[in-house]
Amino acid sequence: MKLKIIQFCFLLFAIFSCSKNEVDLESEGQVMKAHSYRPYYHYSPAKNWMNDPNGMVYYDGQYHLFYQYYPNGTTWGPMHWAHAVSTDLFTWEDKGIKLYPDDLGYIFSGSIVIDKNNTTGFKNSANDPMVAIFTHHQNITGKQVQSLAYSNDKGLSWIKYDQNPVLKNPGINDFRDPKVVWDSKFQKWIMVLAAYDKIKIYSSLNLKEWTFESDFGQNQGDHRGVWECPDLFSIKDQNGIEKWVMIVSIGGGESSGPNGGSSTQYFIGDFNGKEFISNQTKVVWADYGTDNYAGVTWSDIPSSDGRRIFLGWMSNWVYANSTPTVGWRGEMTVPREIKLVEENGKHALYFQPVKEINNLKEAPLSSSSTVAQKDFVLENNVTVASASYIVDFEIDLSLANQFEFTIGNSLEKVSLSYQKSTGEFILDRAKSGIVDFNSLFIKPIRSPFVTTKTTLPVKILVDRSSIEIFINNGEQSITSLFFPKFQYSFMKINSNVENKYLKNITIAPLKKTIIR
Ligand code: FRU
């Protein structure tokens, strides 16, 4: 009998040792705690729910970030605008809630401009007034109108305009997310507004009275979801040629976007003060990942700087309310500089992390990592375990026509693979950790990339629960969340060839800029 019990115990042990790896990782203290998903250098709220970036504006040395915020829970609820400021785009100081819901409704997305010429008459101090143009959303009727609020103390305190709304609803259910820009050529304010399946363009001399100018996009671009969060700005290419860009986020379910759910497309064209005209016939995506939505650009960056900087919400409405963070939910992408690049007579936007990210670099891992080599393997590595780093490398595509980048531990991984023959990147997070909160999360993320280049630069940012991939200096970007159950410990770059196809690899840990 005793022998039977011992045999039975052995059997049990044998059965459970199938999951030995998990037990091992647990006993080694490798379990990711809920707080381990908190990013180190991407903006996330200290507590509760966040979605779209709003009112991004630069004034007097400070970058302002407002955002859609629900202070009473970790899922979407009655929307407020919360506020943070930074001087370097990475170190953010929380400033609390600035706009609360009122009789006209929740405070939905919108923008802020600096009214340098006091066109509104709101000025009452030495500062230029900051004017927020946002959507009031009536929760019961679903009715949406546009309203104003202003600040004369650099964004610290806000007063809602007493004649709100300034733009009434013309009978359209989806009528929201105003982005306003000063058109210096025509000396007027221009507003782009998402209206279900198109963008409406309005103009104004004082931000209070608006004239309808034109509609854009009903027969252009992707329409598998409702149009949201537009942006309109001018930008010059490397030869000084000026074009106008319209950014449009589009909602929708699992079958929308390039890889499912919330996605962002853009149009390059011209603007004549009334109409935006684009001859673009193909849909062009700003990002092929599933986690870059509702992104727009900072207003009023001084011309001496001259950059156009973009920030998106790093999530997707398909699963945004169920990602496995505790006490907070939602993070922003890294701020990205947009460049207009002309190649063979065609224009495209390139998105790259802003240069300020270089100031966060700790000493690179090792100088030997910068020499040419075949495959690259880091095992049980502290930097990988910190999950807050930047990797740069180049692939010589004349020597290797495929490669794979992988991070993970003995049970979990995220991998990015490229095949020159299929001309496609595939990001696979199906085994990355906690994935069972939504079926979209395990689908491979496919990103077409056909190139004649021989040397392909790749930049990868990892920050605890996110990976952002920038291919060929930002010609393509892929942004994705992931939630490991256990700490990742290795990084690999490999191919199926013996050649030294891998060049100039550097890995640098990045500093924690947001203390929570
Ligand atoms: C985009 C969006 C906007 C809206 C806001 C509400 O993510 O749906 O259209 O203003 O979120 O929170």
Side-chain angles (χ1 to χ4, degrees):
M1 183 63 187
K2 208 172 176 188
L3 193 70
K4 285 245 161 83
I5 293 174
I6 291 171
Q7 275 173 341
F8 181 65
C9 288
F10 265 115
L11 186 70
L12 272 187
F13 178 75
I15 291 168
F16 281 108
S17 58
C18 294
S19 55
K20 188 172 148 236
N21 280 339
E22 249 190 59
V23 174
D24 273 1
L25 290 176
E26 252 163 53
S27 67
E28 283 164 22
Q30 308 288 344
V31 181
M32 292 286 280
K33 308 256 164 42
H35 69 253
S36 314
Y37 299 137
R38 167 79 75 188
Y40 277 167
Y41 58 92
H42 288 77
Y43 189 78
S44 64
K47 285 196 290 199
N48 294 319
W49 168 269
M50 175 182 84
N51 58 291
D52 312 359
N54 295 148
M56 286 144 62
V57 68
Y58 179 91
Y59 184 61
D60 198 22
Q62 284 185 320
Y63 294 92
H64 294 260
L65 167 63
F66 294 77
Y67 52 88
Q68 290 285 277
Y69 187 58
Y70 180 51
N72 301 322
T74 52
T75 50
W76 190 87
M79 283 288 111
H80 300 56
W81 274 28
H83 183 203
V85 293
S86 173
T87 52
D88 67 359
L89 290 161
F90 284 98
T91 320
W92 291 99
E93 192 190 324
D94 289 329
K95 292 290 188 185
I97 297 174
K98 292 296 160 70
L99 296 178
Y100 289 80
D102 57 34
D103 290 349
L104 287 173
Y106 300 169
I107 315 296
F108 269 23
S109 287
S111 51
I112 291 181
V113 292
I114 304 299
D115 186 14
K116 295 187 186 98
N117 302 323
N118 194 22
T119 63
T120 50
F122 287 152
K123 184 178 169 89
N124 70 9
S125 78
N127 302 316
D128 293 325
M130 279 181 159
V131 184
I133 308 98
F134 61 88
T135 299
H136 258 127
H137 168 89
Q138 270 293 347
N139 193 37
I140 298 178
T141 59
K143 199 169 149 203
Q144 301 180 332
V145 294
Q146 317 316 318
S147 294
L148 302 181
Y150 56 95
S151 167
N152 272 299
D153 56 6
K154 304 185 182 178
L156 282 179
S157 64
W158 288 83
I159 299 170
K160 289 200 189 112
Y161 178 44
D162 58 9
Q163 311 280 315
N164 279 339
V166 292
L167 183 59
K168 297 210 171 90
N169 190 304
I172 305 171
N173 274 350
D174 295 286
F175 188 69
R176 59 176 176 271
D177 309 337
K179 178 85 183 342
V180 174
V181 59
W182 175 252
D183 186 336
S184 52
K185 190 162 164 204
F186 296 99
Q187 292 287 301
K188 57 185 182 181
W189 298 106
I190 298 293
M191 176 201 290
V192 282
L193 191 70
Y196 182 59
D197 60 351
K198 56 175 101 61
I199 301 303
K200 289 197 163 287
I201 300 178
Y202 296 85
S203 70
S204 173
L205 294 175
N206 57 11
L207 296 171
K208 294 171 177 169
E209 287 134 48
W210 291 94
T211 308
F212 172 71
E213 297 288 357
S214 65
D215 284 336
F216 167 75
Q218 203 170 13
N219 302 313
Q220 270 180 286
D222 193 293
H223 284 276
R224 286 175 290 171
V226 63
W227 282 25
E228 298 184 312
C229 300
D231 195 358
L232 178 71
F233 54 86
S234 69
I235 187 167
K236 288 187 175 148
D237 71 9
Q238 72 270 32
N239 306 312
I241 306 288
E242 186 184 70
K243 301 300 284 180
W244 283 77
V245 172
M246 178 84 82
I247 292 183
V248 179
S249 278
I250 96 161
E254 277 205 33
S255 57
S256 179
N259 281 293
S262 318
S263 317
T264 303
Q265 57 183 330
Y266 68 80
F267 304 85
I268 296 175
D270 295 297
F271 181 62
N272 59 17
K274 279 180 160 297
E275 296 152 297
F276 174 76
I277 297 158
S278 168
N279 300 325
Q280 207 171 282
T281 48
K282 282 207 295 198
V283 176
V284 187
W285 299 108
D287 196 306
Y288 275 84
T290 47
D291 299 297
N292 180 356
Y293 193 60
V296 288
T297 63
W298 257 277
S299 301
D300 291 278
I301 291 188
S303 50
S304 55
D305 177 322
R307 285 182 297 174
R308 184 51 64 177
I309 302 174
F310 171 99
L311 188 80
W313 171 47
M314 199 148 49
S315 197
N316 191 311
W317 280 118
V318 169
Y319 48 70
N321 278 288
S322 45
T323 53
T325 55
V326 175
W328 63 279
R329 200 178 262 132
E331 47 193 293
M332 297 299 179
T333 65
V334 84
R336 301 175 184 184
E337 181 178 356
I338 300 183
K339 290 218 166 100
L340 177 68
V341 176
E342 185 270 332
E343 213 181 351
N344 304 325
K346 278 191 156 178
H347 279 109
L349 297 185
Y350 283 33
F351 294 76
Q352 278 267 68
V354 290
K355 62 176 188 304
E356 286 85 343
I357 196 160
N358 295 323
N359 302 334
L360 312 185
K361 285 183 185 171
E362 313 266 15
L365 208 57
S366 84
S367 53
S368 69
S369 64
T370 61
V371 301
Q373 42 200 302
K374 193 187 159 285
D375 295 345
F376 179 84
V377 182
L378 278 181
E379 243 151 341
N380 295 324
N381 184 268
V382 222
T383 300
V384 176
S386 78
S388 171
Y389 54 90
I390 181 167
V391 191
D392 279 282
F393 58 89
E394 290 173 357
I395 301 289
D396 187 333
L397 291 173
S398 69
L399 298 176
N401 56 16
Q402 69 164 81
F403 72 92
E404 187 169 43
F405 169 91
T406 319
I407 49 175
N409 55 41
S410 53
L411 291 173
E412 305 165 333
K413 62 176 183 171
V414 171
S415 67
L416 173 78
S417 55
Y418 182 65
Q419 294 262 0
K420 211 176 151 186
S421 57
T422 53
E424 189 177 56
F425 277 94
I426 299 179
L427 181 69
D428 187 347
R429 59 179 176 178
K431 298 203 164 62
S432 57
I434 302 177
V435 295
D436 57 2
F437 52 89
N438 189 273
S439 57
L440 177 63
F441 210 77
I442 56 170
K443 283 200 186 148
I445 294 167
R446 295 174 176 276
S447 179
F449 189 79
V450 177
T451 184
T452 50
K453 284 183 75 85
T454 42
T455 304
L456 189 66
V458 180
K459 185 188 284 299
I460 296 180
L461 303 183
V462 174
D463 192 6
R464 318 261 280 177
S465 49
S466 71
I467 181 162
E468 290 164 282
I469 298 154
F470 302 90
I471 296 147
N472 193 29
N473 304 314
E475 182 177 353
Q476 189 97 299
S477 39
I478 309 170
T479 304
S480 169
L481 293 172
F482 64 98
F483 303 97
K485 281 189 202 154
F486 303 100
Q487 210 168 59
Y488 282 7
S489 51
F490 74 80
M491 172 194 300
K492 269 194 283 200
I493 303 169
N494 63 282
S495 179
N496 57 355
V497 294
E498 292 301 317
N499 301 313
K500 291 184 171 177
Y501 63 91
L502 184 58
K503 310 245 156 79
N504 295 324
I505 173 159
T506 53
I507 300 151
L510 293 179
K511 281 182 208 140
K512 187 172 187 169
T513 60
I514 305 165
I515 316 294
R516 295 263 187 254

PDB file of all heavy atoms in Angstrom, residues 232 242-245 268-272 275-279:
ATOM      1  N   LEU A 232      -5.193  68.323 -39.423  1.00  0.00           N
ATOM      2  CA  LEU A 232      -4.830  68.923 -40.717  1.00  0.00           C
ATOM      3  C   LEU A 232      -3.658  69.860 -40.483  1.00  0.00           C
ATOM      4  O   LEU A 232      -3.717  70.718 -39.601  1.00  0.00           O
ATOM      5  CB  LEU A 232      -6.020  69.726 -41.279  1.00  0.00           C
ATOM      6  CG  LEU A 232      -5.775  70.445 -42.612  1.00  0.00           C
ATOM      7  CD1 LEU A 232      -5.678  69.450 -43.764  1.00  0.00           C
ATOM      8  CD2 LEU A 232      -6.905  71.449 -42.903  1.00  0.00           C
ATOM      9  N   GLU A 242       5.950  72.195 -50.101  1.00  0.00           N
ATOM     10  CA  GLU A 242       4.937  72.132 -49.045  1.00  0.00           C
ATOM     11  C   GLU A 242       3.711  71.322 -49.468  1.00  0.00           C
ATOM     12  O   GLU A 242       3.190  71.506 -50.579  1.00  0.00           O
ATOM     13  CB  GLU A 242       4.494  73.544 -48.662  1.00  0.00           C
ATOM     14  CG  GLU A 242       3.555  73.533 -47.471  1.00  0.00           C
ATOM     15  CD  GLU A 242       3.013  74.913 -47.123  1.00  0.00           C
ATOM     16  OE1 GLU A 242       2.205  75.456 -47.891  1.00  0.00           O
ATOM     17  OE2 GLU A 242       3.411  75.436 -46.072  1.00  0.00           O
ATOM     18  N   LYS A 243       3.270  70.432 -48.608  1.00  0.00           N
ATOM     19  CA  LYS A 243       2.024  69.694 -48.833  1.00  0.00           C
ATOM     20  C   LYS A 243       1.169  69.827 -47.570  1.00  0.00           C
ATOM     21  O   LYS A 243       1.668  70.203 -46.509  1.00  0.00           O
ATOM     22  CB  LYS A 243       2.288  68.199 -49.081  1.00  0.00           C
ATOM     23  CG  LYS A 243       3.163  67.856 -50.252  1.00  0.00           C
ATOM     24  CD  LYS A 243       2.643  68.324 -51.581  1.00  0.00           C
ATOM     25  CE  LYS A 243       1.500  67.511 -52.140  1.00  0.00           C
ATOM     26  NZ  LYS A 243       1.062  68.078 -53.465  1.00  0.00           N
ATOM     27  N   TRP A 244      -0.104  69.498 -47.683  1.00  0.00           N
ATOM     28  CA  TRP A 244      -0.981  69.444 -46.514  1.00  0.00           C
ATOM     29  C   TRP A 244      -1.305  67.979 -46.227  1.00  0.00           C
ATOM     30  O   TRP A 244      -1.410  67.170 -47.147  1.00  0.00           O
ATOM     31  CB  TRP A 244      -2.264  70.238 -46.751  1.00  0.00           C
ATOM     32  CG  TRP A 244      -2.035  71.709 -46.618  1.00  0.00           C
ATOM     33  CD1 TRP A 244      -1.436  72.519 -47.539  1.00  0.00           C
ATOM     34  CD2 TRP A 244      -2.367  72.544 -45.501  1.00  0.00           C
ATOM     35  NE1 TRP A 244      -1.374  73.814 -47.061  1.00  0.00           N
ATOM     36  CE2 TRP A 244      -1.950  73.854 -45.810  1.00  0.00           C
ATOM     37  CE3 TRP A 244      -2.984  72.318 -44.259  1.00  0.00           C
ATOM     38  CZ2 TRP A 244      -2.123  74.931 -44.926  1.00  0.00           C
ATOM     39  CZ3 TRP A 244      -3.158  73.394 -43.393  1.00  0.00           C
ATOM     40  CH2 TRP A 244      -2.728  74.682 -43.721  1.00  0.00           C
ATOM     41  N   VAL A 245      -1.447  67.692 -44.947  1.00  0.00           N
ATOM     42  CA  VAL A 245      -1.710  66.304 -44.538  1.00  0.00           C
ATOM     43  C   VAL A 245      -2.999  66.272 -43.724  1.00  0.00           C
ATOM     44  O   VAL A 245      -3.207  67.116 -42.844  1.00  0.00           O
ATOM     45  CB  VAL A 245      -0.548  65.769 -43.666  1.00  0.00           C
ATOM     46  CG1 VAL A 245      -0.898  64.408 -43.066  1.00  0.00           C
ATOM     47  CG2 VAL A 245       0.743  65.685 -44.475  1.00  0.00           C
ATOM     48  N   ILE A 268      -2.303  62.755 -48.189  1.00  0.00           N
ATOM     49  CA  ILE A 268      -1.421  63.881 -48.510  1.00  0.00           C
ATOM     50  C   ILE A 268      -2.075  64.635 -49.661  1.00  0.00           C
ATOM     51  O   ILE A 268      -2.555  64.012 -50.626  1.00  0.00           O
ATOM     52  CB  ILE A 268      -0.016  63.381 -48.896  1.00  0.00           C
ATOM     53  CG1 ILE A 268       0.611  62.693 -47.672  1.00  0.00           C
ATOM     54  CG2 ILE A 268       0.864  64.535 -49.372  1.00  0.00           C
ATOM     55  CD1 ILE A 268       1.942  62.043 -47.921  1.00  0.00           C
ATOM     56  N   GLY A 269      -2.131  65.950 -49.563  1.00  0.00           N
ATOM     57  CA  GLY A 269      -2.794  66.725 -50.616  1.00  0.00           C
ATOM     58  C   GLY A 269      -2.482  68.194 -50.495  1.00  0.00           C
ATOM     59  O   GLY A 269      -1.401  68.585 -50.037  1.00  0.00           O
ATOM     60  N   ASP A 270      -3.453  69.018 -50.900  1.00  0.00           N
ATOM     61  CA  ASP A 270      -3.284  70.471 -50.850  1.00  0.00           C
ATOM     62  C   ASP A 270      -4.522  71.084 -50.219  1.00  0.00           C
ATOM     63  O   ASP A 270      -5.612  70.508 -50.276  1.00  0.00           O
ATOM     64  CB  ASP A 270      -3.084  71.021 -52.267  1.00  0.00           C
ATOM     65  CG  ASP A 270      -1.778  70.505 -52.854  1.00  0.00           C
ATOM     66  OD1 ASP A 270      -0.718  70.833 -52.298  1.00  0.00           O
ATOM     67  OD2 ASP A 270      -1.832  69.722 -53.823  1.00  0.00           O
ATOM     68  N   PHE A 271      -4.328  72.286 -49.660  1.00  0.00           N
ATOM     69  CA  PHE A 271      -5.447  72.974 -49.020  1.00  0.00           C
ATOM     70  C   PHE A 271      -5.483  74.403 -49.538  1.00  0.00           C
ATOM     71  O   PHE A 271      -4.452  75.088 -49.557  1.00  0.00           O
ATOM     72  CB  PHE A 271      -5.242  72.945 -47.495  1.00  0.00           C
ATOM     73  CG  PHE A 271      -6.347  73.600 -46.740  1.00  0.00           C
ATOM     74  CD1 PHE A 271      -7.648  73.104 -46.803  1.00  0.00           C
ATOM     75  CD2 PHE A 271      -6.100  74.728 -45.958  1.00  0.00           C
ATOM     76  CE1 PHE A 271      -8.680  73.710 -46.111  1.00  0.00           C
ATOM     77  CE2 PHE A 271      -7.126  75.342 -45.258  1.00  0.00           C
ATOM     78  CZ  PHE A 271      -8.417  74.821 -45.344  1.00  0.00           C
ATOM     79  N   ASN A 272      -6.672  74.839 -49.989  1.00  0.00           N
ATOM     80  CA  ASN A 272      -6.758  76.169 -50.596  1.00  0.00           C
ATOM     81  C   ASN A 272      -7.527  77.166 -49.717  1.00  0.00           C
ATOM     82  O   ASN A 272      -8.058  78.152 -50.209  1.00  0.00           O
ATOM     83  CB  ASN A 272      -7.408  76.065 -51.985  1.00  0.00           C
ATOM     84  CG  ASN A 272      -8.808  75.469 -51.899  1.00  0.00           C
ATOM     85  OD1 ASN A 272      -9.411  75.422 -50.819  1.00  0.00           O
ATOM     86  ND2 ASN A 272      -9.339  75.012 -53.025  1.00  0.00           N
ATOM     87  N   GLU A 275     -10.982  73.962 -49.285  1.00  0.00           N
ATOM     88  CA  GLU A 275     -11.077  72.517 -49.496  1.00  0.00           C
ATOM     89  C   GLU A 275      -9.715  71.860 -49.348  1.00  0.00           C
ATOM     90  O   GLU A 275      -8.693  72.419 -49.768  1.00  0.00           O
ATOM     91  CB  GLU A 275     -11.522  72.201 -50.930  1.00  0.00           C
ATOM     92  CG  GLU A 275     -12.883  72.671 -51.288  1.00  0.00           C
ATOM     93  CD  GLU A 275     -12.920  72.923 -52.787  1.00  0.00           C
ATOM     94  OE1 GLU A 275     -12.178  73.797 -53.261  1.00  0.00           O
ATOM     95  OE2 GLU A 275     -13.655  72.186 -53.461  1.00  0.00           O
ATOM     96  N   PHE A 276      -9.762  70.628 -48.829  1.00  0.00           N
ATOM     97  CA  PHE A 276      -8.570  69.789 -48.831  1.00  0.00           C
ATOM     98  C   PHE A 276      -8.729  68.818 -50.000  1.00  0.00           C
ATOM     99  O   PHE A 276      -9.744  68.117 -50.096  1.00  0.00           O
ATOM    100  CB  PHE A 276      -8.460  69.025 -47.512  1.00  0.00           C
ATOM    101  CG  PHE A 276      -7.332  68.029 -47.505  1.00  0.00           C
ATOM    102  CD1 PHE A 276      -6.017  68.445 -47.356  1.00  0.00           C
ATOM    103  CD2 PHE A 276      -7.589  66.673 -47.658  1.00  0.00           C
ATOM    104  CE1 PHE A 276      -4.973  67.531 -47.363  1.00  0.00           C
ATOM    105  CE2 PHE A 276      -6.551  65.749 -47.662  1.00  0.00           C
ATOM    106  CZ  PHE A 276      -5.246  66.186 -47.516  1.00  0.00           C
ATOM    107  N   ILE A 277      -7.749  68.809 -50.890  1.00  0.00           N
ATOM    108  CA  ILE A 277      -7.852  67.956 -52.078  1.00  0.00           C
ATOM    109  C   ILE A 277      -6.671  66.996 -52.110  1.00  0.00           C
ATOM    110  O   ILE A 277      -5.510  67.416 -52.025  1.00  0.00           O
ATOM    111  CB  ILE A 277      -7.884  68.806 -53.367  1.00  0.00           C
ATOM    112  CG1 ILE A 277      -9.140  69.682 -53.335  1.00  0.00           C
ATOM    113  CG2 ILE A 277      -7.896  67.932 -54.627  1.00  0.00           C
ATOM    114  CD1 ILE A 277      -9.065  70.892 -54.207  1.00  0.00           C
ATOM    115  N   SER A 278      -6.986  65.710 -52.184  1.00  0.00           N
ATOM    116  CA  SER A 278      -5.930  64.699 -52.247  1.00  0.00           C
ATOM    117  C   SER A 278      -6.208  63.770 -53.415  1.00  0.00           C
ATOM    118  O   SER A 278      -7.335  63.306 -53.594  1.00  0.00           O
ATOM    119  CB  SER A 278      -5.908  63.896 -50.948  1.00  0.00           C
ATOM    120  OG  SER A 278      -5.092  62.764 -51.099  1.00  0.00           O
ATOM    121  N   ASN A 279      -5.160  63.513 -54.206  1.00  0.00           N
ATOM    122  CA  ASN A 279      -5.335  62.591 -55.339  1.00  0.00           C
ATOM    123  C   ASN A 279      -5.018  61.154 -54.955  1.00  0.00           C
ATOM    124  O   ASN A 279      -4.982  60.273 -55.798  1.00  0.00           O
ATOM    125  CB  ASN A 279      -4.412  62.990 -56.505  1.00  0.00           C
ATOM    126  CG  ASN A 279      -4.738  64.392 -56.953  1.00  0.00           C
ATOM    127  OD1 ASN A 279      -5.901  64.792 -56.924  1.00  0.00           O
ATOM    128  ND2 ASN A 279      -3.709  65.161 -57.337  1.00  0.00           N
TER     129      ASN A 279
END
